Amino acid sequence: MSKYTVMQKKEEVVRNWYEIDAEGKVLGKLATEIAVRLMGKHKPSYTPHVDGGDFVIITNADKIAVTGNKLLDKKYYRHSGYPGGLRVRSLEEMLQKQPTEVIRKAVERMLPKNKLGSQMINRLRLFTGSEHTHTAQKPERIEL
């Protein structure tokens, strides 16, 4: 039995590619699973201060499901910085205009709020259709 805790080094990180079909999946549960994969928490070599996560490809991002009245009640806020510059969109509007941003924002808010989180979100690839451009990486398909 070892009495030392093994810390992963950034040179030792092995990154895998995963593909998830988002059609019919609930937004929060999907975002949680994606965030875990991007952080690398599913690996036994997880180290909090090392970016040891994997690449995640999401297809059919526009066909996610939500529970309750979230389509109308959930709001996305952004501000231009000028007086009266608050812009508000409902989840329904976001899914029509920017369907990939809904998943990106949900995942990004579950990641660390530091430089590591910024690096992690860059490994997320979102596509609205069932096809993606990363077939050469041979992603492993995950069913949730």
Side-chain angles (χ1 to χ4, degrees), residues 4-45:
Y4 300 106
T5 302
V6 178
M7 291 290 184
Q8 187 179 30
K9 297 177 182 69
K10 65 179 179 179
E11 299 85 25
E12 300 170 351
V13 175
V14 177
R15 298 199 194 283
N16 300 320
W17 286 76
Y18 295 104
E19 180 185 351
I20 300 173
D21 185 11
E23 186 172 1
K25 304 287 189 298
V26 177
L27 175 61
K29 293 176 186 280
L30 176 68
T32 304
E33 186 62 35
I34 296 167
V36 166
R37 300 268 173 192
L38 289 175
M39 285 188 275
K41 281 191 156 187
H42 64 290
K43 296 179 177 182
S45 61

Side-chain angles (χ1 to χ4, degrees), residues 90-142:
S90 68
L91 176 59
E92 189 174 34
E93 288 177 74
M94 286 289 282
L95 284 173
Q96 289 172 357
K97 295 182 180 179
Q98 296 176 303
T100 57
E101 281 304 301
V102 173
I103 296 177
R104 182 179 307 282
K105 284 182 182 294
V107 171
E108 194 169 14
R109 292 168 181 173
M110 293 181 183
L111 295 176
K113 278 62 170 181
N114 55 24
K115 292 178 184 177
L116 281 180
S118 302
Q119 292 170 8
M120 291 172 187
I121 195 69
N122 288 333
R123 288 196 308 277
L124 177 63
R125 313 285 198 231
L126 294 158
F127 298 94
T128 52
S130 60
E131 299 296 317
H132 60 83
T133 57
H134 299 285
T135 51
Q137 282 73 28
K138 298 183 181 80
E140 180 184 330
R141 197 157 178 80
I142 300 174

Side-chain angles (χ1 to χ4, degrees), residues 71-72 74-76 88-95:
L71 276 179
L72 301 174
K74 186 169 177 57
K75 305 290 184 202
Y76 289 89
V88 181
R89 277 190 182 166
S90 68
L91 176 59
E92 189 174 34
E93 288 177 74
M94 286 289 282
L95 284 173

